[in-house]
């Protein structure tokens, strides 16, 4: 057994030692159009080929015509003991007589010249051509891009951006010399959450600046002993990293520079392949210049070193996503383990997955690691364009909602928050995670009779809470939309949102909270299908400018509540109301209650079914056969069953609004209107905080009024048993009013009250009393309506513990 095991080990070592020779290693770095850089050809891609002792950097290009072209390259050159390293050049596999001759170490622009340093051309054919830069192993020619042009004047690649970048680092070094920095001994900054992710289970860093930090690739063979050293003359603290490009989790080393500015890695290679040498700053958002020595063979001076890393130590029990998005520039993402000073165990430049979303130059690592993760680090892909900005997401789980939406690919579906029945897509698009909102519902404050679209318009446009971002359809297009409203067969189904809606991150493209399912990042149109239909209307952000010209903050409802700007309305039952409810429930027979609960539970079980739970419209939860049986039973029992529904609603069960609507609302709509009018008259509490009323809260208020309906009186009115407080009546006569109205009310005790006349929207028109102390018994107040136009008005009578309203009509 030992002999067999040893033989298998030797075979595996031999196989690994041969991996890479003769193969093409694609870099997958595409160039949209080289003409933007001043060239006359299109560069399609770049790849590396290993062939024995030779390593080729190959560019595949598309030439519009036959002819001679001048060539230049942006490359990282090395200095050797014999001078600067030159590269052979091949065009369509034919070696050129002239070489690529760098004149300094590190990044530079190099033109194809002869020995007399005169510009030379290469011959291209119309169509596809291959241009190769050739070096001896282990050097892999580090060429970011090339330029090919027929014009001698256009061939030189500007190095202005890189020079400016290096000069800015030198200025930073100079500033440190003049004003020494006291560094904190922390490998990276604390989590700086720029935007919140309410209810989310990931970490984000928004609009972060990243910079180029030097990294260089080499090709090493199994058995080689290699060493790397770095030196910072100003003793700048940095980290030297060496790791396998394709197996960084298995072959990775690092070292932190010492007090003299030196770091080193000395290893024996046991896996043949491409390796990265990378240098990064130890301290967050700092930069320096460091010299690099590779195996005593290659030297690189003044290597740019920067650092932008975000420590977030976590275990990896499942597959997680780490990605950059919303780019300016070209990012590269590096993931380090939780050792000190951290070893690179994964990296990505441009992500190419199996989904439909085009990640472009964004980076993404999607993996189930076997070790604890320490940090995510971002830098610029290249040196020629050395800076950029991006959003960074860390530790995002995969979403599982693909079965509901056949057009959503698994690779595109990234979870942003766990499943929840507390809030839905519309509330989330409005910055709310505390309740379920559906504007076309009767119970919603934004409901417009017979006009669902106007209801959505109200929700997005109105001030939902102080600091809420507001949206309008006016002037909204697919390109400036922040909220998309979806529709199927003329019915609205869903709302999705993108950055910067409600000042939340919203992922790489768009985000949805489908019904009670998990919140998910997804491509804009990936939820198209038989469930939601497609995007139907667009909402753009309204400029949040105050009358003083200040930009108003955009915050979530949770933030507004924490800051005391808003409160959720309190709809808990009073002891009197509970006594009334329990008394009515006790009048119901055991058999009736038992059958009610059985049918209710069977209906409730349908809420989690896929064909229902994906929806945000509460009416979708009332379409099942189980619901129809439940309603049929309830109708057979008449009004005496209502208290059982109210009891379920009081338990916080939102979807009980469906039977409450189907059984009671038609004949009691005036009670719900009273609720909404009272809301308009009482927009703020005594501390000035805005009172938020959800559809559930309105339904609870309506249910309370319903509990005290007295059918023995003419019409439908509220029995004063509900109030059991000091003010016992409020009447207005004559009604309608022609010139003067008399307001009459009774109070049990001497009380401070406020009496106001409001228009139908709740806006105060006439303030008669403002916290005036009035006598017990009957009070008669005269109101002159001479200045009021014909219409409907409301008298609002308030004490510290009670508010009563009454409508009256002015008809002169």
């Amino acid at each position: 057994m030992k002999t067999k095991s040893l033989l298998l080990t030797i075979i595996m070592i031999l196989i690994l030692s041969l991996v890479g020779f003769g193969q093409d290693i694609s870099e997958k770095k595409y160039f949209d159009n080289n003409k933007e850089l001043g060239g006359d050809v299109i560069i399609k891609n770049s790849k590396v080929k290993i062939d024995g002792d030779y390593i080729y950097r190959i560019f595949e290009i598309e030439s519009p015509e036959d002819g001679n072209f001048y060539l230049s390259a942006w490359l990282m050159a090395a200095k050797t003991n014999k001078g600067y390293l030159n590269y052979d050049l091949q065009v369509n596999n034919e070696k050129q007589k002239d070489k690529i001759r760098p004149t300094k170490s590190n990044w530079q622009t190099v033109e194809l010249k002869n020995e007399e340093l005169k510009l030379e051309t290469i011959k291209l054919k119309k169509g596809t051509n291959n241009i190769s830069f050739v070096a001896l192993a282990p050097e892999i020619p580090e060429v970011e891009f090339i330029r090919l042009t027929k014009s001698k004047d256009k061939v030189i690649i500007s190095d202005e951006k890189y020079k400016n970048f290096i000069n800015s680092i030198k200025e930073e070094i100079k500033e440190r010399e003049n004003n020494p920095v006291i560094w904190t001994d922390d490998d990276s900054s604390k989590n700086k959450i720029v935007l919140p992710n309410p209810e989310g289970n990931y970490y984000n860093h928004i609009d972060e600046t990243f910079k180029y930090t030097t990294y260089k690739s080499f090709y090493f063979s199994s058995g080689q002993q290699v060493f790397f050293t770095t030196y910072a003359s100003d003793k700048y603290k940095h980290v030297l990293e060496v790791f396998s490009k394709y197996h960084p989790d298995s072959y990775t080393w690092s070292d932190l520079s010492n007090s003299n500015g030196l770091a080193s890695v000395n290893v024996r290679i046991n896996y043949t392949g491409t390796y990265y040498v990378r240098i990064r700053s130890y301290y967050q958002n700092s930069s320096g210049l460091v010299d690099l020595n590779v195996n005593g063979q290659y030297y690189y001076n003044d290597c740019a070193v920067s650092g932008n890393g975000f420590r977030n130590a976590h275990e990896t029990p499942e597959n997680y996503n780490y990605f950059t998005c919303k780019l300016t520039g070209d990012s590269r993402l590096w993931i380090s383990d939780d050792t000190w000073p951290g070893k690179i165990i994964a990296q990505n430049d441009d992500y190419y997955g199996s989904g439909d979303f085009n990640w472009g130059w964004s980076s993404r690592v999607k993996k189930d690691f076997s070790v604890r993760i320490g940090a995510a680090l971002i830098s610029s892909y290249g040196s020629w364009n050395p800076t950029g900005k991006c959003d960074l997401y860390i530790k995002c789980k995969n979403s599982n909602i693909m079965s509901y939406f056949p057009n959503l690919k698994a690779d595109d579906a990234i979870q942003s928050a766990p499943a929840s029945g507390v809030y839905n897509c519309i509330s989330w698009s409005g910055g709310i995670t505390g309740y379920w909102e559906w504007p076309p519902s009767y119970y919603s404050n934004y409901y417009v009779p017979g006009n669902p679209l106007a209801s959505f318009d109200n929700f997005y446009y109105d001030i939902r809470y102080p600091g809420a971002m507001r949206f309008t359809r006016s002037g909204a297009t697919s390109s400036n939309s922040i909220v998309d409203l979806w529709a199927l067969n003329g019915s609205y189904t869903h709302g999705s949102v993108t950055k910067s809606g409600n000042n939340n991150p919203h992922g790489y493209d768009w985000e949805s909270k489908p019904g009670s399912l998990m919140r998910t990042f997804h491509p804009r149109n990936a939820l198209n299908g038989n469930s939601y239909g497609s995007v139907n209307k667009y909402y753009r952000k309204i400029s949040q400018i105050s009358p003083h010209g200040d930009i108003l903050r955009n915050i979530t409802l949770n933030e507004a509540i924490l800051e005391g700007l808003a409160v959720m309305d309190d709809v808990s039952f009073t002891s009197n109301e509970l006594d009334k409810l329990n008394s009515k429930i006790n009048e119901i027979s055991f058999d009736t209650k038992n059958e009610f609960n059985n049918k209710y539970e069977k209906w409730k079980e349908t809420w989690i079914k896929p064909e229902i739970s994906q929806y945000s419209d509460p009416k979708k939860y009332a379409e099942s056969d189980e619901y129809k049986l439940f309603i049929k039973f309830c109708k057979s029992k008449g009004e005496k069953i209502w208290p059982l529904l109210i009891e379920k609603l009081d338990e916080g069960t939102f979807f009980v609004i469906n039977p409450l609507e189907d059984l009671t609302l038609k004949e009691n709509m005036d009670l719900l209107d009273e609720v909404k009018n009272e809301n308009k008259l009482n927009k703020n509490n005594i501390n000035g905080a805005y009172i938020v009323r959800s559809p559930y809260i309105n339904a609870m208020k309506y249910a309370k009024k319903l509990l005290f309906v007295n059918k023995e009186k003419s019409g439908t009115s509220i029995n004063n048993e509900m109030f059991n407080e000091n003010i016992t009546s409020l009447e207005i006569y004559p009604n309608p009013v022609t010139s003067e109205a008399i307001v009459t009310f009774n109070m049990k005790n001497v009380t401070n009250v406020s009496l106001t006349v409001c228009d139908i929207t709740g806006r105060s028109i006439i303030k008669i009393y403002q916290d005036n102390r009035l006598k017990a018994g009957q009070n008669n107040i005269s109101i002159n309506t001479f200045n009021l136009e014909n219409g409907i008005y409301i008298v609002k009578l308030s004490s510290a513990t009670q508010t009563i309203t009454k409508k009256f009509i002015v008809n002169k």
Side-chain angles (χ1 to χ4, degrees):
M1 285 296 290
K2 287 184 179 180
T3 303
K4 184 177 181 181
S5 177
L6 179 61
L7 180 61
L8 287 172
T9 302
I10 293 171
I11 292 172
M12 286 300 297
I13 291 173
L14 287 172
I15 291 173
L16 289 173
S17 68
L18 293 173
V19 171
F21 287 99
Q23 69 175 342
D24 287 348
I25 306 173
S26 177
E27 293 292 283
K28 289 192 174 181
K29 170 58 70 176
Y30 290 82
F31 304 84
D32 292 335
N33 194 336
N34 190 50
K35 292 182 179 180
E36 295 177 3
L37 302 174
D40 294 331
V41 304
I42 295 174
I43 300 176
K44 298 176 68 175
N45 67 63
S46 163
K47 62 183 179 181
V48 172
K49 180 178 180 180
I50 314 297
D51 190 1
D53 292 335
Y54 293 95
I55 301 179
Y56 300 79
R57 170 78 64 180
I58 305 172
F59 288 89
E60 182 181 330
I61 66 163
E62 191 76 19
S63 177
E65 57 183 329
D66 294 338
N68 295 320
F69 290 80
Y70 295 98
L71 178 147
S72 63
W74 181 256
L75 57 81
M76 183 181 187
K79 187 177 182 180
T80 70
N81 294 328
K82 297 180 179 179
Y84 297 110
L85 184 66
N86 294 336
Y87 300 96
D88 287 333
L89 188 69
Q90 290 186 1
V91 178
N92 296 324
N93 298 320
E94 290 186 9
K95 184 178 179 180
Q96 305 297 294
K97 64 176 181 178
D98 297 304
K99 295 177 179 288
I100 301 296
R101 297 181 173 88
T103 57
K104 57 184 177 182
S105 63
N106 224 298
W107 290 101
Q108 61 196 283
T109 177
V110 182
E111 300 83 30
L112 180 63
K113 295 179 180 178
N114 57 28
E115 292 184 351
E116 286 78 34
L117 302 181
K118 292 183 179 180
L119 290 174
E120 292 289 349
T121 61
I122 59 173
K123 188 173 183 178
L124 299 179
K125 61 183 180 181
K126 182 179 180 179
T128 301
N129 296 260
N130 290 320
I131 298 175
S132 303
F133 295 76
V134 188
L136 284 171
E139 163 73 6
I140 296 177
E142 209 69 54
V143 185
E144 274 189 25
F145 67 92
I146 60 176
R147 178 180 294 173
L148 291 157
T149 174
K150 287 194 167 185
S151 172
K152 183 185 297 188
D153 296 334
K154 294 180 180 179
V155 71
I156 298 176
I157 299 171
S158 172
D159 61 358
E160 182 179 2
K161 284 191 286 188
Y162 184 69
K163 278 186 175 180
N164 291 339
F165 178 57
I166 295 298
N167 287 335
S168 69
I169 295 176
K170 290 180 178 178
E171 288 296 321
E172 185 177 331
I173 294 171
K174 186 177 179 180
E175 178 64 24
R176 284 200 296 265
E177 290 174 351
N178 295 331
N179 300 287
V181 178
I182 300 176
W183 301 103
T184 57
D185 193 18
D186 184 4
D187 190 13
S188 63
S189 71
K190 298 291 190 294
N191 282 331
K192 185 179 67 173
I193 307 301
V194 178
L195 295 181
N197 55 329
E199 309 299 328
N201 52 1
Y202 62 92
Y203 299 89
N204 66 81
H205 301 269
I206 305 301
D207 294 327
E208 291 291 346
T209 297
F210 57 81
K211 300 178 180 180
Y212 173 73
T213 195
T214 297
Y215 64 96
K216 175 77 175 72
S217 54
F218 293 90
Y219 190 84
F220 297 121
S221 299
S222 177
Q224 278 187 266
Q225 187 73 33
V226 294
F227 67 88
F228 312 85
T229 60
T230 52
Y231 172 65
S233 58
D234 62 346
K235 302 180 182 179
Y236 179 69
K237 201 167 186 178
H238 61 276
V239 179
L240 171 62
E241 300 165 328
V242 180
F243 50 94
S244 167
K245 179 175 181 178
Y246 298 105
H247 303 283
D249 50 343
S250 300
Y251 308 102
T252 180
W253 306 268
S254 67
D255 186 45
L256 176 65
S257 63
N258 60 24
S259 59
N260 294 316
L262 288 165
S264 65
V265 171
N266 193 338
V267 297
R268 185 175 184 84
I269 300 297
N270 55 9
Y271 175 79
T272 297
T274 301
Y275 287 78
Y276 278 126
V277 180
R278 181 174 183 263
I279 317 167
R280 67 172 170 88
S281 298
Y282 180 74
Y283 294 113
Q284 178 79 350
N285 292 321
S286 69
S287 302
L289 296 174
V290 175
D291 294 337
L292 171 65
N293 179 348
V294 179
N295 235 21
Q297 185 178 2
Y298 304 106
Y299 303 90
Y300 305 87
N301 301 116
D302 286 343
C303 296
V305 175
S306 66
N308 202 343
F310 299 91
R311 180 161 179 75
N312 185 268
H314 57 271
E315 303 295 338
T316 55
E318 59 183 290
N319 196 301
Y320 285 128
N321 294 272
Y322 310 78
F323 60 89
T324 64
C325 60
K326 311 296 184 182
L327 293 179
T328 61
D330 187 356
S331 69
R332 191 151 198 153
L333 177 63
W334 319 82
I335 306 297
S336 73
D337 65 12
D338 197 27
T339 60
W340 185 87
K343 297 175 182 177
I344 300 297
I345 57 173
Q347 61 83 31
N348 179 253
D349 173 25
D350 302 334
Y351 183 73
Y352 298 87
S354 57
D356 293 330
F357 183 70
N358 180 8
W359 287 82
W361 286 353
S362 295
S363 309
R364 179 181 174 188
V365 171
K366 179 181 180 182
K367 190 172 182 180
D368 182 1
F369 292 98
S370 60
V371 298
R372 182 177 169 86
I373 298 300
L377 308 101
I378 49 176
S379 68
S380 176
Y381 155 77
S383 59
W384 186 75
N385 189 21
T387 61
K389 298 189 77 172
C390 72
D391 295 350
L392 171 66
Y393 290 77
I394 300 172
K395 197 187 172 187
C396 297
K397 297 181 179 180
N398 293 320
S399 178
N400 64 2
I401 69 171
M402 291 77 69
S403 60
Y404 301 86
F405 308 101
N407 291 315
L408 176 61
K409 302 292 178 58
D411 192 56
D412 289 329
I414 300 177
Q415 181 187 152
S416 57
S420 171
V422 175
Y423 66 110
N424 63 349
C425 65
I426 301 303
S427 49
W428 174 238
S429 66
I432 299 163
T433 57
Y435 66 82
W436 193 288
E437 179 62 66
W438 190 254
S441 166
Y442 287 114
Y443 302 100
S444 175
N445 285 324
Y446 311 99
Y447 169 70
V448 177
N451 196 333
L453 182 57
S455 302
F456 283 108
D457 290 347
N458 281 349
F459 173 74
Y460 289 120
Y461 186 84
D462 284 358
I463 299 176
R464 301 178 292 280
Y465 54 86
M469 185 177 287
R470 299 169 62 211
F471 308 95
T472 179
R473 282 194 298 116
S474 176
T477 64
S478 61
S479 58
N480 66 10
S481 177
I482 298 295
V483 173
D484 281 354
L485 185 63
W486 298 57
L488 176 66
N489 299 326
S491 297
Y492 297 105
T493 56
H494 177 64
S496 52
V497 60
T498 191
K499 184 184 176 182
S500 58
N502 297 291
N503 209 33
N504 292 320
H506 298 308
Y508 63 86
D509 196 15
W510 286 72
E511 185 180 22
S512 289
K513 172 63 176 67
S516 57
L517 306 180
M518 63 176 54
R519 216 168 71 208
T520 300
F521 300 142
H522 60 84
R524 184 175 198 169
N525 297 306
L527 306 189
N528 281 3
N530 294 328
S531 295
Y532 290 169
S534 59
V535 174
N536 184 267
K537 303 294 181 196
Y538 305 113
Y539 290 86
R540 65 174 178 84
K541 181 171 62 175
I542 297 174
S543 178
Q544 304 285 81
I545 306 295
S546 76
H548 305 292
D550 302 321
I551 297 177
L552 301 177
R553 290 191 310 144
N554 296 306
I555 58 178
T556 65
L557 174 57
N558 286 349
E559 290 175 308
I561 291 173
L562 287 173
E563 294 181 22
L565 301 174
V567 293
M568 296 299 297
D569 204 355
D570 181 13
V571 288
S572 56
F573 277 111
T574 65
S575 58
N576 180 54
E577 291 165 344
L578 279 175
D579 289 342
K580 183 72 172 180
L581 179 62
N582 291 330
S583 173
K584 287 180 174 288
I585 290 175
N586 290 335
E587 295 173 1
I588 304 172
S589 70
F590 173 82
D591 289 343
T592 298
K593 285 189 280 191
N594 189 49
E595 190 170 357
F596 173 91
N597 286 324
N598 287 338
K599 285 182 165 53
Y600 171 81
E601 289 299 325
K602 287 186 177 182
W603 170 47
K604 188 176 180 181
E605 289 173 2
T606 66
W607 300 353
I608 61 173
K609 289 185 176 181
E611 62 269 24
I612 295 176
S613 60
Q614 61 186 302
Y615 291 105
S616 290
D617 182 352
K619 288 187 179 295
K620 288 289 186 179
Y621 293 74
E623 294 180 351
S624 63
D625 291 337
E626 290 82 354
Y627 178 76
K628 293 173 183 176
L629 290 173
F630 175 63
I631 282 295
K632 183 178 180 181
F633 166 76
C634 291
K635 285 182 177 179
S636 71
K637 300 301 178 182
E639 293 179 17
K640 71 177 183 179
I641 209 74
W642 293 1
L644 294 179
L645 291 174
I646 295 172
E647 183 181 45
K648 294 296 183 186
L649 188 67
D650 185 45
E651 292 172 358
T653 312
F654 175 69
F655 297 123
V656 176
I657 67 171
N658 285 303
L660 201 63
E661 176 184 326
D662 292 340
L663 296 172
T664 74
L665 196 55
K666 184 176 180 180
E667 295 182 354
N668 296 283
M669 185 64 78
D670 59 324
L671 300 183
L672 186 54
D673 289 340
E674 283 186 27
V675 168
K676 293 183 178 180
N677 286 330
E678 289 168 4
N679 290 345
K680 292 176 181 178
L681 295 172
N682 296 277
K683 293 185 177 181
N684 300 85
N685 67 7
I686 58 175
N687 297 318
Y690 184 85
I691 304 173
V692 178
R693 278 97 175 196
S694 66
Y696 171 78
I697 286 173
N698 287 339
M700 275 291 291
K701 287 185 167 186
Y702 164 75
K704 286 185 178 187
K705 289 181 179 289
L706 192 67
L707 187 63
F708 289 89
V709 164
N710 187 347
K711 292 293 182 179
E712 295 178 0
K713 295 185 177 181
S714 60
T716 302
S717 61
I718 305 300
N719 191 312
N720 278 326
E721 185 180 0
M722 175 182 180
F723 294 110
N724 193 29
E725 301 235 21
N726 189 36
I727 304 173
T728 58
S729 68
L730 175 63
E731 298 294 337
I732 301 175
Y733 64 92
N735 194 359
V737 181
T738 55
S739 60
E740 185 179 72
I742 305 298
V743 177
T744 299
F745 55 93
N746 282 278
M747 298 192 301
K748 295 178 181 178
N749 304 298
V750 175
T751 306
N752 285 13
V753 298
S754 297
L755 185 64
T756 308
V757 176
C758 304
D759 65 17
I760 194 63
T761 68
R763 182 170 60 92
S764 176
I765 302 294
I766 305 172
K767 291 183 179 179
I768 300 168
Y769 290 141
Q770 192 69 30
D771 203 27
N772 287 34
R773 193 168 184 83
L774 300 184
K775 66 179 183 178
Q778 181 170 306
N779 288 268
N780 300 312
I781 311 298
S782 175
I783 301 177
N784 190 328
T785 61
F786 178 80
N787 292 323
L788 297 181
E789 297 179 354
N790 288 348
I792 300 174
Y793 294 85
I794 301 168
V795 168
K796 173 185 172 185
L797 179 63
S798 302
S799 67
T801 59
Q802 190 177 359
T803 297
I804 299 180
T805 62
K806 194 78 173 180
K807 290 181 184 177
F808 69 96
I809 299 172
V810 174
N811 187 10
K812 300 174 185 178

